[in-house]
Amino acid sequence: MILLLPTLAVVSNLAMASAQTCAPDPTDVRIETKIDEPRLDTSKDGEQLQTMRFSSPVTSDRRFAQLTGLTVGGIAVDSEIRIASDGKEGNPVCAWPSVVTVTLTTSPTIYVLATHGQCQQAVGLKHEMGHVSIDRGIIERYAPVFRQRLAAMADAISADASPPGRDLRTQRQRIEEKINAIISVVSDQLNADRSTEQRLFDSPEEYARVSAACPQVTLDPPRPAVGHMRSAAPGA
């Protein structure tokens, strides 16, 4: 019995020393943005653009049936997670996210009808650039949100970097699941806000403004005044 006491004391001290050695380094959270200039495409005709257009109450309005432009784009969210550890496979380990990188990318294409006059092309392009600006603003707004939410999650993971009975593979999997869950939630919020802002921008007032921005030109001889449809507004 007397001989066992020092042994128990040594084992206890070793366990304490092992727990104390799990001191994760701070996680490096990197938020990167890639904002490309929009690519201008004048190769498609009106019918082709109509097939690419999203349906909405505004775009279904006969006053705005004809397109002068269309923006195709979005915000991509890519991520990379690096995990550091000081244990071996199959043994309890100290593991934590060392680097978490999220990249927000937008690379839009603006389609403008080349068959329209210079005025309509210019007005249509300016409207479509409004959609591009919205996406850029969303990225600027959400970059710090990603950083804050990921940093908080990384701190929580690091505070429990060496849970008992968990091997390296399990620990890595749990870290990736937790970080990816945060990225997914914030990405959903980003896409919801983007959808709302883009829809509000394509208001009846904006479409009417674009439709009336250019003088109406006709090659027909003058006729008695009759009602006619104004040139179309860009859709998005």
Side-chain angles (χ1 to χ4, degrees):
M1 294 294 294
I2 296 176
L3 292 177
L4 289 177
L5 288 176
T7 302
L8 290 173
V10 169
V11 171
S12 176
N13 288 337
L14 286 174
M16 292 177 61
S18 176
Q20 292 172 354
T21 59
C22 186
D25 296 326
T27 301
D28 183 7
V29 177
R30 303 172 183 175
I31 308 299
E32 301 175 354
T33 61
K34 182 182 178 184
I35 301 176
D36 295 338
E37 289 297 318
R39 183 175 68 90
L40 184 61
D41 189 321
T42 59
S43 66
K44 299 189 182 299
D45 59 29
E47 290 185 2
Q48 289 174 309
L49 291 189
Q50 285 288 359
T51 63
M52 300 165 60
R53 192 183 198 184
F54 289 107
S55 179
S56 73
V58 178
T59 59
S60 299
D61 192 322
R62 292 183 61 185
R63 293 174 298 167
F64 314 126
Q66 185 181 0
L67 282 170
T68 57
L70 184 73
T71 299
V72 176
I75 300 174
V77 180
D78 299 307
S79 62
E80 179 185 5
I81 304 170
R82 300 180 188 177
I83 299 175
S85 63
D86 63 0
K88 295 181 179 180
E89 189 72 40
N91 297 323
V93 296
C94 178
W96 65 95
S98 59
V99 181
V100 178
T101 304
V102 168
T103 305
L104 307 177
T105 304
T106 181
S107 184
T109 298
I110 295 178
Y111 296 92
V112 175
L113 287 178
T115 54
H116 288 307
Q118 291 184 351
C119 178
Q120 281 189 315
Q121 288 186 39
V123 171
L125 179 59
K126 183 177 181 180
H127 170 84
E128 299 307 324
M129 284 300 299
H131 290 290
V132 173
S133 296
I134 288 174
D135 281 357
R136 291 176 174 178
I138 291 287
I139 288 177
E140 182 178 354
R141 187 190 319 160
Y142 268 87
V145 176
F146 274 103
R147 183 182 301 279
Q148 181 182 19
R149 297 288 296 276
L150 287 171
M153 175 55 72
D155 289 344
I157 293 173
S158 296
D160 187 29
S162 184
R166 191 174 297 165
D167 61 21
L168 177 58
R169 180 177 300 176
T170 302
Q171 182 71 336
R172 282 178 174 272
Q173 182 178 354
R174 288 179 64 85
I175 290 173
E176 290 176 352
E177 288 176 350
K178 289 181 178 181
I179 292 177
N180 283 328
I182 291 295
I183 294 174
S184 179
V185 168
V186 179
S187 295
D188 288 346
Q189 295 171 346
L190 178 153
N191 286 323
D193 282 354
R194 175 184 182 271
S195 178
T196 298
E197 292 192 24
Q198 295 286 11
R199 186 172 61 252
L200 290 175
F201 180 66
D202 275 338
S203 65
E205 293 78 16
E206 170 65 8
Y207 273 27
R209 182 194 69 79
V210 173
S211 294
C214 296
Q216 304 302 305
V217 177
T218 178
L219 298 180
D220 296 332
R223 296 179 181 178
V226 295
H228 66 279
M229 183 181 296
R230 288 185 178 275
S231 58

